[in-house]
Amino acid sequence: MEKDVLNLVELPASGIGEWECPAESVAFDEQGILERLLALDRPCFAVREGARVGLSNEGRCAGPARTAGTGPEVVAWAPPLPASQLGDAAFREAHGTRFAYYAGAMANGIASEEMVIALGRDGLLASFGAGGLLPARVREAVDRIQAALPEGPYAFNLIHSPAEPALERECVELYLDRGVRCIEAAAYLDLTPQVVLYRVAGLGPGPEGGIEIRNRIIAKVSRGEVATKFMEPAPPRLVEALLAEGRISEEQARLSEKVPMADDITAEADSAGHTDNRPMLGLLPSLLALRDEIQARRGYARPVRVGAAGGIGTPTAALAAFFMGAAYVVTGSINQACVEAGASDHTKALLGQADMADVMMAPAADMFEMGVKLQVLKRGTLFPMRAQKLYEIYTRYDSIDEIPAREREKLEKQIFRNGLEEIWESTAAYFAERDPSQIEKAASRPKRKMALIFRWYLGLSSNWSNAGTAGREMDYQIWCGPAMGAFNAWARGSCLEEVKQRRVADVAQQILTGAAFACRVQSLSFQGVRFPPGLSTYRPRSQGCL
């Protein structure tokens, strides 16, 4: 006979009520109790029978509790909570998903077609990592994903590119042309004509005098002032300019005054890539309060939803976000180590070994001149240190010619592995295809030319990581937040420990199942039930529980 866990459970003296159900439905052993905790679609009762306490998914309270010890009684209970009930039902309905969860975009196709399709087929939303890719490559991804998921769900990233506005414009034109109905807007400091065009061009009259919003926007932000721009209607000056250009109709311009720029605002806390390292405990509540303030003033028919990203790497982290009021949760770093991610095996192996402290900030390629940084993995690569060296030199000198000969020699040998003039020729050829205006600007501005040369390294380093370029391993730029280390610690010793066993849909299901499980354990704990460590923590399981 297996040992029960009575000595590991502390319960209140008086129960909730008399319990009626066959005695054999009550489990007193650890395995039986775990099974009942995992039956998330059924209620869970803590039942006391004499000196023993167990759990059951059956029965009911038949009346007031009797004197302790005179018969079985319910001392605590938790209602059914399948993972599909976590978060805001409006998010699931709007995006056609089973869960209030999505996988955020990771640029350069790291959030790949395979990732988007795998999650979409399992009823989960994912955003394709279009940032840094040429429009032709994004078009291929749109065609492939739409063919595999004709009814969705899927989203595409639209990253703010102040240094290359042509890319942002071409992406929006592509999304409108191909009928992409959901984008994830990221790295915005202010609204641009392009993102406003995408939103307003999708507006039309709805039933019963309402407004149909065909083009949905999920805006990923980390600052209140940026969140405000997406929670408010489109700026009139930009709408008027688009109307004057004939890119939107008068009706669309009028309707834009009555809807927010975004349907969803993702509070991006301490995350991989572009991040302000905000703490979730402060950021999410502040954006929820901001949303409520704007909603009270604007009275939108559909209030903006606020979700949580950054640090979501374990079930308890997801549950914490839901408990704070997040409409949905977003994962990023942890998906990069999955089979479907567009990263090399070497990169995935490094991510699978990362601890929470194995990350640091480094200069970003797309906003290099502005001093913007992003969070990357420092374990197993010298990229963050070398990237920081380039930025220090950029701020110190006004042109390549001003760099002292000895310093320049180090750059050419250790970082570029080629002469800087040869690097410029390669850079010019690249921008001739991507954005010729960049070459024109550099011709009269030596410091701009130096920035483009340095961005050659910053840009290619992420491509080397994705492609697994041999000989450049120490230069791999690997976007990573502390959530990766938290996930690895949680997955250690389980079926998800090896990166070759990590699939995005399974990871999502494990996290959501674990979050619902943790909610159940906490609910019973709040009522006085105390479980041993082996029962209070959900561990990844070889068979899903959803």
Side-chain angles (χ1 to χ4, degrees), residues 105 167 192 199 249 308 343 346 380 409 442 466 490:
L167 288 181
T192 64
R199 180 63 162 181
S249 69
H346 181 83
E409 182 180 358
N466 296 344
W490 173 63

PDB file of all heavy atoms in Angstrom, residues 105 167 192 199 249 308 343 346 380 409 442 466 490:
ATOM      1  N   ALA A 105       7.231  37.582 -32.390  1.00  0.00           N
ATOM      2  CA  ALA A 105       8.149  37.536 -33.522  1.00  0.00           C
ATOM      3  C   ALA A 105       9.595  37.658 -33.063  1.00  0.00           C
ATOM      4  O   ALA A 105       9.902  38.378 -32.113  1.00  0.00           O
ATOM      5  CB  ALA A 105       7.831  38.662 -34.500  1.00  0.00           C
ATOM      6  N   LEU A 167      11.705  49.959 -46.070  1.00  0.00           N
ATOM      7  CA  LEU A 167      11.365  48.567 -45.740  1.00  0.00           C
ATOM      8  C   LEU A 167      10.016  48.489 -45.034  1.00  0.00           C
ATOM      9  O   LEU A 167       9.201  47.608 -45.325  1.00  0.00           O
ATOM     10  CB  LEU A 167      12.461  47.959 -44.869  1.00  0.00           C
ATOM     11  CG  LEU A 167      13.788  47.643 -45.554  1.00  0.00           C
ATOM     12  CD1 LEU A 167      14.754  47.017 -44.559  1.00  0.00           C
ATOM     13  CD2 LEU A 167      13.572  46.710 -46.730  1.00  0.00           C
ATOM     14  N   THR A 192       3.963  55.917 -37.343  1.00  0.00           N
ATOM     15  CA  THR A 192       4.416  56.306 -38.668  1.00  0.00           C
ATOM     16  C   THR A 192       3.231  56.251 -39.636  1.00  0.00           C
ATOM     17  O   THR A 192       2.223  55.589 -39.368  1.00  0.00           O
ATOM     18  CB  THR A 192       5.511  55.351 -39.169  1.00  0.00           C
ATOM     19  OG1 THR A 192       4.940  54.028 -39.327  1.00  0.00           O
ATOM     20  CG2 THR A 192       6.675  55.285 -38.186  1.00  0.00           C
ATOM     21  N   ARG A 199      -3.720  50.183 -40.381  1.00  0.00           N
ATOM     22  CA  ARG A 199      -4.891  50.146 -39.507  1.00  0.00           C
ATOM     23  C   ARG A 199      -6.128  50.745 -40.177  1.00  0.00           C
ATOM     24  O   ARG A 199      -7.184  50.116 -40.243  1.00  0.00           O
ATOM     25  CB  ARG A 199      -4.586  50.916 -38.217  1.00  0.00           C
ATOM     26  CG  ARG A 199      -5.731  50.951 -37.205  1.00  0.00           C
ATOM     27  CD  ARG A 199      -6.080  49.591 -36.703  1.00  0.00           C
ATOM     28  NE  ARG A 199      -6.853  49.643 -35.467  1.00  0.00           N
ATOM     29  CZ  ARG A 199      -7.267  48.558 -34.809  1.00  0.00           C
ATOM     30  NH1 ARG A 199      -6.974  47.360 -35.273  1.00  0.00           N
ATOM     31  NH2 ARG A 199      -7.969  48.675 -33.685  1.00  0.00           N
ATOM     32  N   SER A 249     -10.069  56.108 -47.742  1.00  0.00           N
ATOM     33  CA  SER A 249     -11.299  56.803 -48.140  1.00  0.00           C
ATOM     34  C   SER A 249     -11.732  57.786 -47.058  1.00  0.00           C
ATOM     35  O   SER A 249     -11.261  57.737 -45.921  1.00  0.00           O
ATOM     36  CB  SER A 249     -12.407  55.786 -48.387  1.00  0.00           C
ATOM     37  OG  SER A 249     -12.804  55.180 -47.156  1.00  0.00           O
ATOM     38  N   ALA A 308       0.970  40.349 -21.629  1.00  0.00           N
ATOM     39  CA  ALA A 308       2.276  40.400 -20.974  1.00  0.00           C
ATOM     40  C   ALA A 308       3.317  39.593 -21.747  1.00  0.00           C
ATOM     41  O   ALA A 308       3.065  38.459 -22.156  1.00  0.00           O
ATOM     42  CB  ALA A 308       2.167  39.866 -19.547  1.00  0.00           C
ATOM     43  N   ALA A 343      16.909  29.068 -36.310  1.00  0.00           N
ATOM     44  CA  ALA A 343      18.249  29.269 -35.746  1.00  0.00           C
ATOM     45  C   ALA A 343      19.050  27.984 -35.930  1.00  0.00           C
ATOM     46  O   ALA A 343      18.479  26.902 -36.085  1.00  0.00           O
ATOM     47  CB  ALA A 343      18.162  29.641 -34.267  1.00  0.00           C
ATOM     48  N   HIS A 346      23.827  24.939 -33.395  1.00  0.00           N
ATOM     49  CA  HIS A 346      24.816  25.440 -32.428  1.00  0.00           C
ATOM     50  C   HIS A 346      24.184  26.505 -31.532  1.00  0.00           C
ATOM     51  O   HIS A 346      24.373  26.487 -30.306  1.00  0.00           O
ATOM     52  CB  HIS A 346      26.021  26.025 -33.168  1.00  0.00           C
ATOM     53  CG  HIS A 346      27.100  26.537 -32.262  1.00  0.00           C
ATOM     54  ND1 HIS A 346      28.057  25.715 -31.698  1.00  0.00           N
ATOM     55  CD2 HIS A 346      27.366  27.791 -31.794  1.00  0.00           C
ATOM     56  CE1 HIS A 346      28.875  26.440 -30.945  1.00  0.00           C
ATOM     57  NE2 HIS A 346      28.468  27.708 -30.985  1.00  0.00           N
ATOM     58  N   GLY A 380      29.185  31.740 -24.498  1.00  0.00           N
ATOM     59  CA  GLY A 380      29.596  31.053 -25.717  1.00  0.00           C
ATOM     60  C   GLY A 380      29.797  31.958 -26.915  1.00  0.00           C
ATOM     61  O   GLY A 380      29.972  31.472 -28.035  1.00  0.00           O
ATOM     62  N   GLU A 409      43.566  48.356 -37.204  1.00  0.00           N
ATOM     63  CA  GLU A 409      44.132  47.031 -37.493  1.00  0.00           C
ATOM     64  C   GLU A 409      43.476  45.959 -36.628  1.00  0.00           C
ATOM     65  O   GLU A 409      43.175  44.855 -37.097  1.00  0.00           O
ATOM     66  CB  GLU A 409      45.638  47.060 -37.252  1.00  0.00           C
ATOM     67  CG  GLU A 409      46.320  45.739 -37.584  1.00  0.00           C
ATOM     68  CD  GLU A 409      47.816  45.789 -37.338  1.00  0.00           C
ATOM     69  OE1 GLU A 409      48.329  46.865 -36.946  1.00  0.00           O
ATOM     70  OE2 GLU A 409      48.477  44.750 -37.521  1.00  0.00           O
ATOM     71  N   ALA A 442      25.450  58.332 -47.114  1.00  0.00           N
ATOM     72  CA  ALA A 442      26.812  58.080 -46.631  1.00  0.00           C
ATOM     73  C   ALA A 442      27.865  58.803 -47.464  1.00  0.00           C
ATOM     74  O   ALA A 442      28.965  59.091 -46.982  1.00  0.00           O
ATOM     75  CB  ALA A 442      27.088  56.577 -46.635  1.00  0.00           C
ATOM     76  N   ASN A 466      21.923  32.316 -37.193  1.00  0.00           N
ATOM     77  CA  ASN A 466      20.805  31.559 -37.752  1.00  0.00           C
ATOM     78  C   ASN A 466      21.272  30.473 -38.704  1.00  0.00           C
ATOM     79  O   ASN A 466      20.736  29.356 -38.702  1.00  0.00           O
ATOM     80  CB  ASN A 466      19.842  32.500 -38.485  1.00  0.00           C
ATOM     81  CG  ASN A 466      19.189  33.502 -37.553  1.00  0.00           C
ATOM     82  OD1 ASN A 466      19.217  33.338 -36.342  1.00  0.00           O
ATOM     83  ND2 ASN A 466      18.617  34.542 -38.126  1.00  0.00           N
ATOM     84  N   TRP A 490      13.554  24.950 -15.217  1.00  0.00           N
ATOM     85  CA  TRP A 490      12.279  24.245 -15.039  1.00  0.00           C
ATOM     86  C   TRP A 490      12.262  22.924 -15.825  1.00  0.00           C
ATOM     87  O   TRP A 490      11.748  21.918 -15.349  1.00  0.00           O
ATOM     88  CB  TRP A 490      11.134  25.155 -15.504  1.00  0.00           C
ATOM     89  CG  TRP A 490       9.793  24.488 -15.536  1.00  0.00           C
ATOM     90  CD1 TRP A 490       9.115  23.972 -14.470  1.00  0.00           C
ATOM     91  CD2 TRP A 490       8.978  24.275 -16.686  1.00  0.00           C
ATOM     92  NE1 TRP A 490       7.902  23.450 -14.898  1.00  0.00           N
ATOM     93  CE2 TRP A 490       7.796  23.634 -16.240  1.00  0.00           C
ATOM     94  CE3 TRP A 490       9.108  24.589 -18.037  1.00  0.00           C
ATOM     95  CZ2 TRP A 490       6.764  23.278 -17.126  1.00  0.00           C
ATOM     96  CZ3 TRP A 490       8.089  24.243 -18.905  1.00  0.00           C
ATOM     97  CH2 TRP A 490       6.935  23.594 -18.450  1.00  0.00           C
TER      98      TRP A 490
END
